[in-house]
Each structure stands twice: as structure tokens, then as C-alpha cells.
């Protein structure tokens, strides 16, 4: 893959998306939102080519789908693609997306935690209910994930499903993504009477945003097409590393905040500042 060739073809993603006060308030109330057309058709088509090619190069999953556990059936997962490609770096570092993230959270600036390609294979299984932030060793609730399909996602596959206002309760369970987390958190959602929202079909370049504590899941992929999604996780630029209280958080501290320790600002060389009002 020639990054020089790709960079010449790719938009710099400098167009800004304007968010209304009401939209931001709704996100902060519900813990999730959708921004239709966050990237346009031409932009996403060009970036999709380089991202999909890189996922193919980096994917090491060779176990047949029917032999994997629930987590393994949910998606092919590859993180920090931006460190492998200048073209993907341009996408992940885009000010357009970072500004949306900062405005939704109500913070002055954001850093990259990491990116993840989440490609759900044809016949791939559901993604169980979970909270992202049980994995993250951070002493803040100012975290947000952008989830953007690189291809059209039909109604039968749909967006992720969110439990509205669940982020307000913070930590619910330490269970990692699994059949157990699905049962426990589905029961929690029912017991609290939380509204469950799915945004349905999404075009390539649409994007959902959700808070780190927002409970969410995703349906299986009954189609014969790969569900190609790129995600970017943002954190407030003054976030502090917390003492990891689980193996999952210890692993994330080592992987995504190299050289840092509890009490440090979460700003390693692979957590660049990508947007600041100042």
C-alpha cells in the first residue's frame, strides 16, 4: 500500500460539522447520538479502501468463525491502525471528528485514546451488552467513542443499540464482553426501565457517538457482506491515569499509555492532542 498515493487521493477532513445546543444537550442527557453525514460519500469511499486494505494486512484471526467464543464471533478487532499508515493517521487525527467529540462532552480539547477497526464478518455474532470504560484505566467520565461504518449498514444489521441515560450511573459491572455480561446488563437495563435505542440503517460516513459508561450492544450480521466499521476513542485532554483495578485495565494501561503510571496525565506519545478550542 502506497501512503503517498493514498494521501494524494484523500480529503484532509477539514470541513466542520455544526452541532446545535439542543443536540449537545440531548447527547449529554442520553449518553449517545448520531451524526448523519459526518463524512461524505466520496471521503469515506477513499478512506475505506486504505483502512480495509490495512485491516486485511494486520488481521491474524485464522480460527473458523464457528469455533470461536462469543467475543471472537462478534468482530475482527484491530487497534491503533493510525500508527501503521499516514493515510489512516489523517482519518484518525481529523479535526472534524475530534471537534464533534469535544463539543458533545463539553470539554476544551481531546486526545486520542486509540482507534479500532471493528469488522463484523458475514454470519458474525452479536456484540453482548457492555460498558467500554471497564477496560480503561482513567479517572474521568469525559470519554467518548465515534463509531463510523465505512459501508452502508442495512436495517437488519443496524447501528449499535444504546441504553439511554445509563452513563449517568457510571460503573455497573466489571464483566468483560461475554455471554455473562449480556445477561447481567440486560437484566440491569430492564430493572432500571431504561429506554433502548437503535438508529437503524446507517450510510457510510454516518457516525454514532457514545459515552464510555453508556451500555450498548450490537446485533449479529446475517448478511453475506462484511460490516466494516472504524472507531475512534477520545478522552478529555486533561484526563488522569487511574490505578488499574482489573487485569483488563492493567493491560490497557500497558498497551495504550506506554510509560505512564497512575496519577499521570493520560498523554503518552500515542495519545496526541487532536483538537483544542485554544
Amino acid at each position: 500500500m502506497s501512503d503517498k498515493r493514498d494521501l494524494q487521493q484523500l480529503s484532509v477532513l477539514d470541513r466542520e460539522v455544526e452541532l446545535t445546543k439542543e443536540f449537545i444537550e440531548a447527547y449529554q442527557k442520553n449518553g449517545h447520538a448520531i451524526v448523519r453525514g459526518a463524512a461524505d460519500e466520496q471521503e469515506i469511499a477513499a478512506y475505506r479502501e486504505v483502512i480495509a486494505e490495512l485491516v486485511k494486512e494486520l488481521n491474524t484471526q485464522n480460527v473458523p468463525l464457528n469455533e470461536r467464543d462469543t467475543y471472537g464471533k462478534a468482530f475482527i478487532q484491530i487497534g491503533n491502525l493510525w500508527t501503521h499508515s499516514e493515510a489512516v493517521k489523517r482519518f484518525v487525527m481529523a479535526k472534524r471528528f475530534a471537534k464533534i467529540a469535544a463539543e458533545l462532552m463539553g470539554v476544551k480539547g481531546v486526545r486520542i485514546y486509540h482507534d479500532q477497526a471493528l469488522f463484523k464478518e458475514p454470519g458474525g455474532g452479536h456484540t453482548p451488552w457492555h460498558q467500554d470504560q471497564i477496560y480503561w484505566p482513567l479517572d474521568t467520565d469525559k470519554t467518548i467513542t465515534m463509531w463510523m461504518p465505512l459501508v452502508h449498514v442495512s436495517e437488519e444489521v443496524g447501528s449499535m443499540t444504546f441504553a439511554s441515560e445509563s452513563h449517568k450511573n457510571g460503573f455497573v459491572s466489571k464483566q468483560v464482553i461475554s455471554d455473562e455480561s449480556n445477561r447481567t446488563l440486560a437484566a440491569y437495563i430492564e430493572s432500571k426501565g431504561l429506554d433502548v435505542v437503535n438508529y437503524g440503517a446507517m450510510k457510510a460516513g454516518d457516525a454514532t457517538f457514545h459515552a464510555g459508561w453508556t451500555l450498548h450492544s450490537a446485533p449479529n450480521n446475517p448478511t453475506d457482506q462484511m460490516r466494516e466499521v472504524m472507531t475512534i476513542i477520545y478522552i478529555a485532554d486533561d484526563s488522569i491515569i487511574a490505578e488499574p483495578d482489573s487485569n483488563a485495565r492493567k493491560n490497557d494501561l500497558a498497551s495504550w499509555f506506554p510509560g505512564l503510571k497512575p496519577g499521570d496525565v493520560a498523554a503518552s506519545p500515542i495519545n496526541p492532542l487532536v483538537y483544542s478550542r485554544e
Side-chain angles (χ1 to χ4, degrees):
M1 180 170 65
S2 169
D3 269 2
K4 182 177 181 181
R5 178 203 69 200
D6 294 329
L7 286 170
Q8 291 173 343
Q9 297 173 347
L10 297 175
S11 162
V12 295
L13 297 167
D14 58 354
R15 170 178 60 83
E16 294 190 1
V17 174
E18 297 299 326
L19 305 179
T20 66
K21 178 183 177 182
E22 292 75 19
F23 186 89
I24 293 169
E25 289 175 347
Y27 168 81
Q28 293 176 354
K29 176 179 183 291
N30 295 317
H32 59 85
I34 189 166
V35 177
R36 302 284 184 182
D40 65 38
E41 185 177 344
Q42 289 183 322
E43 289 170 336
I44 209 66
Y47 278 104
R48 182 239 170 183
E49 182 179 350
V50 294
I51 291 170
E53 187 175 341
L54 189 56
V55 168
K56 185 176 180 180
E57 290 177 10
L58 298 177
N59 179 33
T60 59
Q61 177 62 268
N62 54 19
V63 177
L65 188 64
N66 62 359
E67 295 180 15
R68 303 178 207 164
D69 62 12
T70 298
Y71 189 98
K73 291 176 182 176
F75 37 61
I76 295 169
Q77 180 181 29
I78 301 174
N80 265 7
L81 271 70
W82 74 266
T83 63
H84 297 272
S85 162
E86 285 298 317
V88 179
K89 181 178 179 180
R90 179 179 289 185
F91 180 89
V92 173
M93 302 296 159
K95 180 181 177 181
R96 180 192 304 171
F97 306 147
K99 181 174 181 286
I100 294 172
E103 290 183 344
L104 290 177
M105 289 193 291
V107 300
K108 64 182 178 64
V110 293
R111 294 181 178 274
I112 296 292
Y113 182 17
H114 59 84
D115 67 54
Q116 287 185 323
L118 299 176
F119 281 32
K120 193 180 289 285
E121 298 153 280
H126 73 120
T127 306
W129 284 106
H130 65 284
Q131 292 178 295
D132 293 336
Q133 202 155 331
I134 66 161
Y135 292 93
W136 303 345
L138 291 165
D139 187 15
T140 182
D141 62 356
K142 300 300 184 183
T143 63
I144 192 169
T145 297
M146 182 185 83
W147 189 95
M148 178 179 284
L150 306 177
V151 295
H152 177 67
V153 177
S154 65
E155 186 77 28
E156 61 184 327
V157 178
S159 74
M160 287 190 292
T161 301
F162 303 97
S164 295
E165 302 190 55
S166 57
H167 66 303
K168 295 178 180 178
N169 300 326
F171 167 82
V172 175
S173 170
K174 284 186 179 180
Q175 290 176 331
V176 296
I177 301 174
S178 61
D179 294 330
E180 290 74 20
S181 76
N182 201 59
R183 286 191 291 268
T184 299
L185 297 176
Y188 174 85
I189 291 165
E190 183 176 2
S191 71
K192 295 294 184 181
L194 301 177
D195 289 334
V196 174
V197 174
N198 184 289
Y199 292 106
M202 295 176 67
K203 294 181 179 179
D206 290 345
T208 61
F209 289 80
H210 67 273
W213 287 122
T214 299
L215 289 163
H216 59 287
S217 62
N220 65 334
N221 180 7
T223 75
D224 60 0
Q225 302 295 315
M226 182 80 79
R227 189 215 69 183
E228 302 175 11
V229 166
M230 188 66 179
T231 69
I232 306 172
I233 304 166
Y234 302 93
I235 59 177
D237 67 345
D238 57 357
S239 299
I240 302 297
I241 302 290
E243 185 71 46
D245 55 0
S246 66
N247 287 333
R249 287 183 166 181
K250 289 176 183 177
N251 291 337
D252 262 34
L253 176 57
S255 296
W256 310 123
F257 298 121
L260 300 185
K261 62 185 186 301
D264 289 342
V265 176
S268 84
I270 60 170
N271 311 114
L273 182 69
V274 285
Y275 171 76
S276 176
R277 284 201 307 267
E278 299 172 358

